[in-house]
Short mmCIF file of all heavy atoms in Angstrom, two decimals:
data_model
loop_
_atom_site.label_atom_id
_atom_site.label_comp_id
_atom_site.label_asym_id
_atom_site.label_seq_id
_atom_site.Cartn_x
_atom_site.Cartn_y
_atom_site.Cartn_z
N VAL A 173 19.78 -22.54 -7.77
CA VAL A 173 19.44 -22.54 -6.35
C VAL A 173 20.67 -22.65 -5.46
O VAL A 173 20.57 -22.82 -4.28
CB VAL A 173 18.50 -23.71 -6.04
CG1 VAL A 173 17.15 -23.58 -6.74
CG2 VAL A 173 19.11 -25.06 -6.30
N LEU A 176 21.04 -21.81 -1.65
CA LEU A 176 19.80 -21.84 -0.98
C LEU A 176 19.58 -23.24 -0.35
O LEU A 176 20.23 -24.23 -0.79
CB LEU A 176 18.65 -21.62 -1.97
CG LEU A 176 18.57 -20.27 -2.60
CD1 LEU A 176 17.49 -20.15 -3.62
CD2 LEU A 176 18.42 -19.16 -1.54
N VAL A 177 18.72 -23.37 0.61
CA VAL A 177 18.51 -24.61 1.35
C VAL A 177 17.89 -25.66 0.35
O VAL A 177 18.07 -26.92 0.56
CB VAL A 177 17.62 -24.36 2.52
CG1 VAL A 177 16.19 -24.16 2.06
CG2 VAL A 177 17.73 -25.59 3.52
N LEU A 178 17.36 -25.23 -0.74
CA LEU A 178 16.83 -26.18 -1.71
C LEU A 178 17.86 -27.17 -2.24
O LEU A 178 17.62 -28.31 -2.60
CB LEU A 178 16.26 -25.49 -2.94
CG LEU A 178 14.86 -24.84 -2.82
CD1 LEU A 178 14.48 -24.26 -4.15
CD2 LEU A 178 13.88 -25.87 -2.36
N GLU A 179 19.08 -26.62 -2.27
CA GLU A 179 20.26 -27.38 -2.80
C GLU A 179 20.42 -28.68 -1.93
O GLU A 179 21.08 -29.62 -2.37
CB GLU A 179 21.51 -26.51 -2.66
CG GLU A 179 22.18 -26.32 -3.98
CD GLU A 179 23.59 -25.78 -3.73
OE1 GLU A 179 23.77 -25.09 -2.72
OE2 GLU A 179 24.47 -26.08 -4.57
N GLU A 180 20.04 -28.50 -0.69
CA GLU A 180 20.20 -29.66 0.23
C GLU A 180 19.02 -30.57 0.33
O GLU A 180 19.08 -31.62 1.08
CB GLU A 180 20.42 -29.03 1.70
CG GLU A 180 21.62 -28.11 1.84
CD GLU A 180 22.90 -28.82 1.57
OE1 GLU A 180 23.06 -29.99 1.99
OE2 GLU A 180 23.80 -28.27 0.85
N ARG A 181 17.97 -30.24 -0.36
CA ARG A 181 16.75 -31.12 -0.29
C ARG A 181 16.78 -32.20 -1.25
O ARG A 181 16.76 -31.91 -2.50
CB ARG A 181 15.43 -30.21 -0.37
CG ARG A 181 15.16 -29.34 0.88
CD ARG A 181 14.65 -29.99 2.13
NE ARG A 181 15.61 -30.97 2.68
CZ ARG A 181 16.73 -30.60 3.37
NH1 ARG A 181 16.96 -29.37 3.65
NH2 ARG A 181 17.53 -31.54 3.89
N LEU A 182 16.62 -33.42 -0.82
CA LEU A 182 16.55 -34.60 -1.75
C LEU A 182 15.34 -34.52 -2.66
O LEU A 182 15.50 -34.88 -3.78
CB LEU A 182 16.53 -35.87 -0.87
CG LEU A 182 17.91 -36.43 -0.66
CD1 LEU A 182 17.77 -37.64 0.25
CD2 LEU A 182 18.53 -36.93 -1.98
N GLY A 183 14.25 -34.11 -2.06
CA GLY A 183 12.98 -34.07 -2.94
C GLY A 183 13.24 -33.18 -4.15
O GLY A 183 12.89 -33.50 -5.24
N TYR A 184 13.80 -32.05 -3.91
CA TYR A 184 14.05 -31.09 -4.94
C TYR A 184 15.03 -31.66 -6.00
O TYR A 184 14.79 -31.57 -7.19
CB TYR A 184 14.61 -29.77 -4.39
CG TYR A 184 14.88 -28.70 -5.42
CD1 TYR A 184 13.79 -27.97 -5.92
CD2 TYR A 184 16.16 -28.50 -5.88
CE1 TYR A 184 14.01 -27.03 -6.96
CE2 TYR A 184 16.39 -27.54 -6.87
CZ TYR A 184 15.35 -26.79 -7.41
OH TYR A 184 15.57 -25.88 -8.38
N ALA A 185 16.11 -32.24 -5.53
CA ALA A 185 17.08 -32.82 -6.40
C ALA A 185 16.63 -33.95 -7.16
O ALA A 185 16.84 -34.12 -8.40
CB ALA A 185 18.38 -33.24 -5.59
N LEU A 186 15.75 -34.72 -6.55
CA LEU A 186 15.21 -35.88 -7.28
C LEU A 186 14.32 -35.43 -8.35
O LEU A 186 14.31 -36.00 -9.53
CB LEU A 186 14.41 -36.76 -6.32
CG LEU A 186 15.15 -37.77 -5.44
CD1 LEU A 186 14.26 -38.32 -4.29
CD2 LEU A 186 15.58 -38.99 -6.30
N ARG A 187 13.46 -34.40 -8.10
CA ARG A 187 12.52 -33.90 -9.10
C ARG A 187 13.25 -33.31 -10.26
O ARG A 187 12.89 -33.55 -11.46
CB ARG A 187 11.61 -32.86 -8.43
CG ARG A 187 10.57 -32.34 -9.39
CD ARG A 187 9.58 -33.39 -9.92
NE ARG A 187 8.52 -32.84 -10.61
CZ ARG A 187 7.73 -33.55 -11.41
NH1 ARG A 187 7.94 -34.80 -11.63
NH2 ARG A 187 6.74 -32.97 -12.07
N ARG A 188 14.28 -32.54 -9.98
CA ARG A 188 15.08 -31.85 -11.10
C ARG A 188 15.74 -32.92 -11.96
O ARG A 188 15.73 -32.85 -13.15
CB ARG A 188 16.07 -30.91 -10.50
CG ARG A 188 15.47 -29.66 -9.91
CD ARG A 188 14.85 -28.72 -10.98
NE ARG A 188 15.75 -28.22 -11.91
CZ ARG A 188 16.30 -27.00 -11.96
NH1 ARG A 188 16.04 -26.16 -10.94
NH2 ARG A 188 17.18 -26.65 -12.88
N ALA A 189 16.35 -33.91 -11.31
CA ALA A 189 17.07 -34.97 -12.07
C ALA A 189 16.10 -35.80 -12.82
O ALA A 189 16.34 -36.12 -13.98
CB ALA A 189 17.86 -35.81 -11.08
N GLN A 190 14.93 -36.13 -12.30
CA GLN A 190 13.93 -36.92 -12.94
C GLN A 190 13.42 -36.17 -14.17
O GLN A 190 13.28 -36.76 -15.22
CB GLN A 190 12.78 -37.24 -11.92
CG GLN A 190 11.73 -38.11 -12.55
CD GLN A 190 10.44 -37.27 -12.78
OE1 GLN A 190 10.07 -36.54 -11.83
NE2 GLN A 190 9.82 -37.48 -13.93
N LEU A 191 13.21 -34.85 -13.97
CA LEU A 191 12.63 -34.10 -15.16
C LEU A 191 13.63 -34.06 -16.29
O LEU A 191 13.29 -34.18 -17.45
CB LEU A 191 12.27 -32.68 -14.71
CG LEU A 191 11.03 -32.53 -13.88
CD1 LEU A 191 10.86 -31.09 -13.40
CD2 LEU A 191 9.79 -32.98 -14.66
N LYS A 192 14.88 -33.96 -15.90
CA LYS A 192 15.95 -33.94 -16.96
C LYS A 192 16.01 -35.30 -17.71
O LYS A 192 16.11 -35.36 -18.94
CB LYS A 192 17.25 -33.61 -16.33
CG LYS A 192 18.40 -33.68 -17.37
CD LYS A 192 19.63 -32.98 -16.86
CE LYS A 192 20.74 -33.04 -17.98
NZ LYS A 192 21.91 -32.34 -17.55
N LEU A 306 19.14 -45.12 -5.44
CA LEU A 306 17.70 -44.82 -5.73
C LEU A 306 16.82 -46.10 -5.47
O LEU A 306 15.72 -45.96 -4.86
CB LEU A 306 17.53 -44.39 -7.22
CG LEU A 306 18.10 -43.07 -7.56
CD1 LEU A 306 18.08 -42.92 -9.12
CD2 LEU A 306 17.28 -41.97 -6.88
N VAL A 309 16.12 -46.45 -1.98
CA VAL A 309 15.11 -45.50 -1.49
C VAL A 309 13.66 -46.07 -1.82
O VAL A 309 12.81 -46.21 -1.04
CB VAL A 309 15.19 -44.09 -2.10
CG1 VAL A 309 14.03 -43.20 -1.79
CG2 VAL A 309 16.50 -43.43 -1.58
N ALA B 165 14.05 -45.55 -11.94
CA ALA B 165 14.44 -45.46 -10.46
C ALA B 165 14.26 -44.04 -9.89
O ALA B 165 13.76 -43.86 -8.82
CB ALA B 165 15.85 -45.88 -10.35
N LEU B 166 14.57 -43.05 -10.73
CA LEU B 166 14.35 -41.62 -10.35
C LEU B 166 12.88 -41.36 -10.07
O LEU B 166 12.54 -40.71 -9.06
CB LEU B 166 14.88 -40.69 -11.42
CG LEU B 166 16.41 -40.46 -11.42
CD1 LEU B 166 16.87 -39.84 -12.74
CD2 LEU B 166 16.84 -39.56 -10.23
N ARG B 167 12.04 -41.83 -10.96
CA ARG B 167 10.68 -41.55 -10.83
C ARG B 167 10.09 -42.17 -9.53
O ARG B 167 9.30 -41.58 -8.79
CB ARG B 167 9.86 -42.02 -12.10
CG ARG B 167 8.45 -41.72 -12.04
CD ARG B 167 8.14 -40.24 -11.97
NE ARG B 167 6.68 -40.02 -12.19
CZ ARG B 167 6.05 -38.83 -11.85
NH1 ARG B 167 6.81 -37.87 -11.37
NH2 ARG B 167 4.84 -38.65 -12.09
N ARG B 168 10.42 -43.44 -9.34
CA ARG B 168 9.91 -44.13 -8.20
C ARG B 168 10.40 -43.50 -6.91
O ARG B 168 9.63 -43.26 -5.97
CB ARG B 168 10.33 -45.66 -8.27
CG ARG B 168 9.68 -46.49 -9.33
CD ARG B 168 8.21 -46.64 -9.04
NE ARG B 168 7.89 -47.38 -7.82
CZ ARG B 168 7.59 -48.65 -7.77
NH1 ARG B 168 7.48 -49.40 -8.82
NH2 ARG B 168 7.33 -49.18 -6.57
N ALA B 169 11.68 -43.23 -6.85
CA ALA B 169 12.25 -42.59 -5.66
C ALA B 169 11.64 -41.21 -5.38
O ALA B 169 11.26 -40.81 -4.30
CB ALA B 169 13.76 -42.48 -5.75
N GLN B 170 11.42 -40.46 -6.55
CA GLN B 170 10.86 -39.12 -6.41
C GLN B 170 9.40 -39.17 -5.89
O GLN B 170 8.99 -38.39 -5.08
CB GLN B 170 10.92 -38.41 -7.78
CG GLN B 170 10.35 -36.96 -7.78
CD GLN B 170 8.97 -36.93 -8.50
OE1 GLN B 170 8.83 -37.51 -9.60
NE2 GLN B 170 8.06 -36.28 -7.99
N LEU B 171 8.67 -40.12 -6.44
CA LEU B 171 7.22 -40.23 -5.94
C LEU B 171 7.23 -40.54 -4.46
O LEU B 171 6.32 -40.06 -3.73
CB LEU B 171 6.53 -41.29 -6.79
CG LEU B 171 6.17 -40.95 -8.17
CD1 LEU B 171 5.50 -42.14 -8.95
CD2 LEU B 171 5.21 -39.72 -8.21
N LYS B 172 8.09 -41.43 -4.01
CA LYS B 172 8.09 -41.82 -2.63
C LYS B 172 8.46 -40.57 -1.76
O LYS B 172 7.83 -40.33 -0.73
CB LYS B 172 9.15 -42.96 -2.38
CG LYS B 172 9.25 -43.34 -0.97
CD LYS B 172 9.94 -44.57 -0.68
CE LYS B 172 10.00 -44.89 0.79
NZ LYS B 172 10.53 -46.23 1.08
N VAL B 173 9.50 -39.87 -2.10
CA VAL B 173 9.98 -38.74 -1.35
C VAL B 173 8.90 -37.56 -1.36
O VAL B 173 8.55 -36.99 -0.33
CB VAL B 173 11.36 -38.19 -1.82
CG1 VAL B 173 11.71 -36.91 -1.17
CG2 VAL B 173 12.42 -39.25 -1.53
N PHE B 174 8.26 -37.41 -2.50
CA PHE B 174 7.12 -36.43 -2.60
C PHE B 174 5.86 -36.78 -1.75
O PHE B 174 5.23 -35.98 -1.20
CB PHE B 174 6.67 -36.19 -4.03
CG PHE B 174 7.41 -35.11 -4.68
CD1 PHE B 174 8.87 -34.89 -4.45
CD2 PHE B 174 6.83 -34.20 -5.58
CE1 PHE B 174 9.54 -33.81 -5.12
CE2 PHE B 174 7.49 -33.12 -6.21
CZ PHE B 174 8.86 -32.99 -6.00
N LYS B 175 5.64 -38.11 -1.65
CA LYS B 175 4.58 -38.59 -0.84
C LYS B 175 4.81 -38.19 0.66
O LYS B 175 3.89 -37.68 1.34
CB LYS B 175 4.45 -40.11 -0.95
CG LYS B 175 3.14 -40.60 -0.44
CD LYS B 175 3.03 -42.15 -0.81
CE LYS B 175 2.18 -42.88 0.23
NZ LYS B 175 2.97 -43.93 0.92
N HIS B 176 5.99 -38.38 1.09
CA HIS B 176 6.33 -37.97 2.43
C HIS B 176 6.25 -36.44 2.58
O HIS B 176 5.75 -35.94 3.60
CB HIS B 176 7.77 -38.39 2.76
CG HIS B 176 7.85 -39.82 3.28
ND1 HIS B 176 7.89 -40.18 4.62
CD2 HIS B 176 7.85 -40.99 2.61
CE1 HIS B 176 7.96 -41.49 4.74
NE2 HIS B 176 7.94 -42.04 3.55
N PHE B 177 6.69 -35.74 1.59
CA PHE B 177 6.66 -34.32 1.69
C PHE B 177 5.25 -33.85 1.76
O PHE B 177 4.86 -32.93 2.61
CB PHE B 177 7.33 -33.73 0.35
CG PHE B 177 7.42 -32.22 0.32
CD1 PHE B 177 8.58 -31.56 0.77
CD2 PHE B 177 6.33 -31.41 -0.16
CE1 PHE B 177 8.59 -30.15 0.67
CE2 PHE B 177 6.46 -30.06 -0.20
CZ PHE B 177 7.55 -29.43 0.24
N ASP B 178 4.35 -34.36 0.93
CA ASP B 178 2.90 -33.99 0.94
C ASP B 178 2.32 -34.24 2.34
O ASP B 178 1.51 -33.42 2.89
CB ASP B 178 2.11 -34.72 -0.09
CG ASP B 178 2.40 -34.15 -1.45
OD1 ASP B 178 2.94 -32.99 -1.62
OD2 ASP B 178 2.16 -34.82 -2.44
N ALA B 180 3.99 -34.29 5.15
CA ALA B 180 4.56 -33.39 6.15
C ALA B 180 4.01 -31.92 6.00
O ALA B 180 3.91 -31.23 6.96
CB ALA B 180 6.12 -33.35 5.90
N MET B 181 3.61 -31.60 4.76
CA MET B 181 3.12 -30.21 4.53
C MET B 181 1.60 -30.12 4.55
O MET B 181 1.01 -29.08 4.33
CB MET B 181 3.58 -29.78 3.10
CG MET B 181 5.13 -29.78 2.94
SD MET B 181 5.79 -28.37 3.93
CE MET B 181 7.55 -28.73 3.76
N ARG B 187 2.41 -27.25 -1.54
CA ARG B 187 2.91 -28.13 -2.54
C ARG B 187 4.43 -27.96 -2.81
O ARG B 187 4.91 -26.91 -2.48
CB ARG B 187 2.22 -28.00 -3.90
CG ARG B 187 0.67 -28.15 -3.79
CD ARG B 187 0.19 -29.58 -3.72
NE ARG B 187 0.84 -30.33 -4.71
CZ ARG B 187 1.12 -31.67 -4.60
NH1 ARG B 187 0.73 -32.31 -3.56
NH2 ARG B 187 1.71 -32.33 -5.55
N PRO B 188 5.05 -28.95 -3.31
CA PRO B 188 6.51 -28.82 -3.51
C PRO B 188 6.98 -27.51 -4.28
O PRO B 188 7.87 -26.86 -3.82
CB PRO B 188 6.94 -30.06 -4.29
CG PRO B 188 5.96 -31.08 -3.92
CD PRO B 188 4.69 -30.34 -3.67
N ALA B 189 6.27 -27.17 -5.29
CA ALA B 189 6.67 -25.98 -6.17
C ALA B 189 6.44 -24.75 -5.32
O ALA B 189 7.15 -23.72 -5.51
CB ALA B 189 5.91 -25.91 -7.39
N GLN B 190 5.41 -24.76 -4.39
CA GLN B 190 5.17 -23.51 -3.58
C GLN B 190 6.37 -23.38 -2.58
O GLN B 190 6.82 -22.30 -2.35
CB GLN B 190 3.80 -23.72 -2.88
CG GLN B 190 2.62 -23.57 -3.77
CD GLN B 190 1.36 -23.84 -3.07
OE1 GLN B 190 1.25 -24.75 -2.18
NE2 GLN B 190 0.33 -23.11 -3.39
N PHE B 191 6.67 -24.50 -2.03
CA PHE B 191 7.86 -24.51 -1.06
C PHE B 191 9.10 -23.96 -1.73
O PHE B 191 9.78 -23.02 -1.21
CB PHE B 191 8.07 -25.95 -0.51
CG PHE B 191 9.33 -26.03 0.29
CD1 PHE B 191 9.44 -25.43 1.53
CD2 PHE B 191 10.39 -26.71 -0.15
CE1 PHE B 191 10.61 -25.46 2.34
CE2 PHE B 191 11.58 -26.92 0.60
CZ PHE B 191 11.67 -26.23 1.84
N SER B 192 9.39 -24.52 -2.92
CA SER B 192 10.59 -24.07 -3.60
C SER B 192 10.55 -22.58 -3.92
O SER B 192 11.60 -21.85 -3.72
CB SER B 192 10.77 -24.83 -4.94
OG SER B 192 10.87 -26.22 -4.71
N VAL B 195 11.23 -20.44 -0.84
CA VAL B 195 12.64 -20.53 -0.46
C VAL B 195 13.42 -19.47 -1.36
O VAL B 195 14.27 -18.80 -0.92
CB VAL B 195 13.20 -21.94 -0.49
CG1 VAL B 195 14.70 -21.89 -0.37
CG2 VAL B 195 12.56 -22.84 0.52
N LEU B 212 13.86 -22.27 -10.98
CA LEU B 212 13.29 -23.49 -10.62
C LEU B 212 12.94 -24.39 -11.86
O LEU B 212 12.44 -25.51 -11.67
CB LEU B 212 11.99 -23.15 -9.85
CG LEU B 212 12.26 -22.50 -8.46
CD1 LEU B 212 10.98 -22.17 -7.78
CD2 LEU B 212 13.12 -23.39 -7.57
N ILE B 214 10.66 -23.90 -14.07
CA ILE B 214 9.13 -24.06 -14.16
C ILE B 214 8.67 -23.18 -15.30
O ILE B 214 9.22 -22.16 -15.55
CB ILE B 214 8.52 -23.60 -12.81
CG1 ILE B 214 8.97 -24.50 -11.65
CG2 ILE B 214 6.99 -23.59 -12.97
CD1 ILE B 214 8.34 -23.99 -10.30
N LEU B 259 8.56 -24.32 7.36
CA LEU B 259 8.54 -25.37 6.29
C LEU B 259 9.93 -25.96 6.02
O LEU B 259 10.06 -27.12 5.69
CB LEU B 259 7.98 -24.67 4.99
CG LEU B 259 6.55 -24.18 5.05
CD1 LEU B 259 6.20 -23.49 3.67
CD2 LEU B 259 5.57 -25.23 5.48
N LYS B 260 10.97 -25.11 6.15
CA LYS B 260 12.30 -25.62 5.90
C LYS B 260 12.66 -26.79 6.89
O LYS B 260 13.26 -27.77 6.44
CB LYS B 260 13.30 -24.51 5.98
CG LYS B 260 13.25 -23.56 4.80
CD LYS B 260 14.42 -22.63 4.65
CE LYS B 260 14.45 -21.53 5.67
NZ LYS B 260 15.47 -20.49 5.38
N LEU B 262 10.39 -28.73 8.34
CA LEU B 262 9.52 -29.86 7.97
C LEU B 262 10.10 -30.63 6.72
O LEU B 262 10.04 -31.88 6.68
CB LEU B 262 8.13 -29.39 7.74
CG LEU B 262 7.28 -28.92 8.88
CD1 LEU B 262 6.02 -28.36 8.38
CD2 LEU B 262 7.06 -30.10 9.84
N ALA B 263 10.57 -29.91 5.78
CA ALA B 263 11.10 -30.44 4.52
C ALA B 263 12.35 -31.31 4.81
O ALA B 263 12.54 -32.41 4.30
CB ALA B 263 11.41 -29.36 3.51
N GLU B 264 13.20 -30.72 5.73
CA GLU B 264 14.38 -31.55 6.02
C GLU B 264 14.04 -32.84 6.73
O GLU B 264 14.55 -33.93 6.43
CB GLU B 264 15.31 -30.62 6.92
CG GLU B 264 16.61 -31.35 7.29
CD GLU B 264 17.53 -30.40 8.10
OE1 GLU B 264 17.15 -29.26 8.36
OE2 GLU B 264 18.60 -30.94 8.40
N GLN B 265 13.05 -32.74 7.69
CA GLN B 265 12.63 -33.88 8.42
C GLN B 265 11.96 -34.92 7.48
O GLN B 265 12.20 -36.14 7.59
CB GLN B 265 11.55 -33.42 9.45
CG GLN B 265 11.28 -34.49 10.50
CD GLN B 265 12.46 -35.10 11.16
OE1 GLN B 265 13.42 -34.36 11.51
NE2 GLN B 265 12.46 -36.39 11.46
N SER B 266 11.22 -34.46 6.51
CA SER B 266 10.53 -35.30 5.55
C SER B 266 11.52 -36.07 4.68
O SER B 266 11.42 -37.25 4.41
CB SER B 266 9.57 -34.42 4.71
OG SER B 266 9.22 -35.06 3.54
N ASP B 267 12.58 -35.35 4.24
CA ASP B 267 13.64 -36.02 3.50
C ASP B 267 14.24 -37.17 4.23
O ASP B 267 14.43 -38.28 3.73
CB ASP B 267 14.75 -35.00 3.20
CG ASP B 267 14.66 -34.34 1.82
OD1 ASP B 267 13.59 -34.48 1.21
OD2 ASP B 267 15.62 -33.65 1.40
N LEU B 268 14.56 -36.87 5.52
CA LEU B 268 15.14 -37.94 6.34
C LEU B 268 14.23 -39.11 6.51
O LEU B 268 14.65 -40.28 6.37
CB LEU B 268 15.44 -37.34 7.72
CG LEU B 268 16.62 -36.40 7.77
CD1 LEU B 268 16.73 -35.80 9.19
CD2 LEU B 268 17.97 -37.04 7.43
N GLU B 269 13.00 -38.86 6.70
CA GLU B 269 11.97 -40.01 6.94
C GLU B 269 11.79 -40.78 5.63
O GLU B 269 11.70 -42.05 5.69
CB GLU B 269 10.67 -39.42 7.44
CG GLU B 269 10.69 -39.05 8.84
CD GLU B 269 9.45 -38.24 9.33
OE1 GLU B 269 8.49 -38.21 8.53
OE2 GLU B 269 9.52 -37.71 10.47
N ALA B 270 11.82 -40.13 4.52
CA ALA B 270 11.57 -40.81 3.20
C ALA B 270 12.78 -41.69 2.79
O ALA B 270 12.65 -42.55 2.01
CB ALA B 270 11.28 -39.79 2.12
N THR B 271 13.94 -41.33 3.37
CA THR B 271 15.23 -42.07 3.05
C THR B 271 15.81 -42.72 4.28
O THR B 271 17.01 -42.78 4.37
CB THR B 271 16.16 -41.08 2.35
OG1 THR B 271 16.45 -39.99 3.25
CG2 THR B 271 15.62 -40.49 1.08
N GLN B 272 14.93 -43.19 5.09
CA GLN B 272 15.47 -43.92 6.24
C GLN B 272 16.38 -45.06 5.90
O GLN B 272 17.17 -45.51 6.77
CB GLN B 272 14.22 -44.52 6.99
CG GLN B 272 13.57 -43.59 8.04
CD GLN B 272 12.40 -44.21 8.74
OE1 GLN B 272 12.40 -45.41 9.03
NE2 GLN B 272 11.33 -43.53 8.83
N LEU B 274 18.68 -45.19 3.89
CA LEU B 274 20.06 -44.73 3.60
C LEU B 274 20.76 -44.29 4.83
O LEU B 274 20.17 -43.69 5.79
CB LEU B 274 19.99 -43.53 2.61
CG LEU B 274 19.32 -43.72 1.24
CD1 LEU B 274 19.52 -42.51 0.46
CD2 LEU B 274 19.84 -44.90 0.51
N ARG B 279 23.06 -40.78 1.90
CA ARG B 279 22.18 -39.68 1.58
C ARG B 279 22.90 -38.56 0.88
O ARG B 279 22.48 -37.86 -0.03
CB ARG B 279 21.47 -39.24 2.86
CG ARG B 279 20.10 -38.42 2.64
CD ARG B 279 19.43 -38.15 3.93
NE ARG B 279 18.84 -39.30 4.52
CZ ARG B 279 19.12 -39.87 5.70
NH1 ARG B 279 20.05 -39.32 6.45
NH2 ARG B 279 18.54 -40.99 6.07
N ARG B 280 24.10 -38.28 1.46
CA ARG B 280 24.98 -37.18 1.00
C ARG B 280 25.42 -37.54 -0.46
O ARG B 280 25.45 -36.73 -1.33
CB ARG B 280 26.09 -37.06 2.00
CG ARG B 280 27.16 -36.11 1.82
CD ARG B 280 26.87 -34.60 1.85
NE ARG B 280 25.77 -34.20 2.71
CZ ARG B 280 25.09 -33.06 2.57
NH1 ARG B 280 25.38 -32.23 1.57
NH2 ARG B 280 24.13 -32.76 3.36
N LEU B 282 23.91 -39.53 -2.58
CA LEU B 282 22.75 -39.44 -3.47
C LEU B 282 22.60 -37.97 -3.89
O LEU B 282 22.40 -37.67 -5.08
CB LEU B 282 21.58 -40.03 -2.78
CG LEU B 282 20.20 -39.90 -3.55
CD1 LEU B 282 20.33 -40.63 -4.99
CD2 LEU B 282 19.02 -40.63 -2.82
N LEU B 283 22.56 -37.04 -2.97
CA LEU B 283 22.35 -35.70 -3.24
C LEU B 283 23.45 -35.13 -4.18
O LEU B 283 23.12 -34.47 -5.15
CB LEU B 283 22.36 -34.90 -1.91
CG LEU B 283 21.86 -33.48 -1.89
CD1 LEU B 283 20.41 -33.39 -2.38
CD2 LEU B 283 21.92 -32.86 -0.51
N THR B 284 24.69 -35.51 -3.97
CA THR B 284 25.77 -35.08 -4.79
C THR B 284 25.59 -35.56 -6.25
O THR B 284 25.79 -34.79 -7.20
CB THR B 284 27.13 -35.60 -4.20
OG1 THR B 284 27.19 -35.09 -2.84
CG2 THR B 284 28.29 -35.08 -5.03
N LEU B 286 22.79 -36.56 -7.72
CA LEU B 286 21.56 -35.98 -8.31
C LEU B 286 21.90 -34.57 -8.86
O LEU B 286 21.53 -34.11 -9.94
CB LEU B 286 20.39 -35.89 -7.36
CG LEU B 286 19.81 -37.22 -6.91
CD1 LEU B 286 18.82 -37.11 -5.79
CD2 LEU B 286 19.08 -37.84 -8.20
N ARG B 287 22.62 -33.80 -7.93
CA ARG B 287 22.98 -32.43 -8.44
C ARG B 287 23.84 -32.41 -9.62
O ARG B 287 23.74 -31.57 -10.54
CB ARG B 287 23.82 -31.82 -7.26
CG ARG B 287 23.01 -31.01 -6.29
CD ARG B 287 24.05 -30.16 -5.42
NE ARG B 287 23.60 -30.23 -4.03
CZ ARG B 287 24.42 -30.14 -3.02
NH1 ARG B 287 25.71 -30.00 -3.25
NH2 ARG B 287 23.94 -30.16 -1.82
N TYR B 290 21.38 -32.90 -12.53
CA TYR B 290 20.49 -31.86 -12.98
C TYR B 290 21.21 -30.48 -13.22
O TYR B 290 20.70 -29.69 -14.02
CB TYR B 290 19.33 -31.66 -11.99
CG TYR B 290 19.49 -30.88 -10.67
CD1 TYR B 290 19.61 -29.48 -10.76
CD2 TYR B 290 19.61 -31.44 -9.50
CE1 TYR B 290 19.74 -28.77 -9.59
CE2 TYR B 290 19.69 -30.82 -8.31
CZ TYR B 290 19.83 -29.43 -8.35
OH TYR B 290 19.99 -28.71 -7.19
#
Side-chain angles (χ1 to χ4, degrees):
Chain A
V173 296
L176 297 176
V177 73
L178 281 183
E179 240 195 330
E180 301 296 319
R181 290 286 63 77
L182 267 173
Y184 182 78
L186 278 165
R187 182 59 171 165
R188 289 292 298 259
Q190 181 252 314
L191 286 174
K192 177 165 182 175
L306 290 170
V309 171
Chain B
L166 279 165
R167 182 61 171 164
R168 289 293 298 259
Q170 180 252 314
L171 286 175
K172 176 166 183 174
V173 171
F174 269 38
K175 194 170 151 245
H176 277 262
F177 183 93
D178 284 341
M181 298 289 170
R187 303 283 312 153
Q190 292 176 317
F191 171 67
S192 303
V195 171
L212 295 176
I214 298 179
L259 298 181
K260 287 195 285 190
L262 289 174
E264 183 175 359
Q265 192 55 37
S266 163
D267 265 9
L268 289 173
E269 284 170 12
T271 57
Q272 272 179 42
L274 302 184
R279 198 174 289 118
R280 179 67 31 202
L282 177 56
L283 195 57
T284 304
L286 290 170
R287 267 192 222 152
Y290 81 75

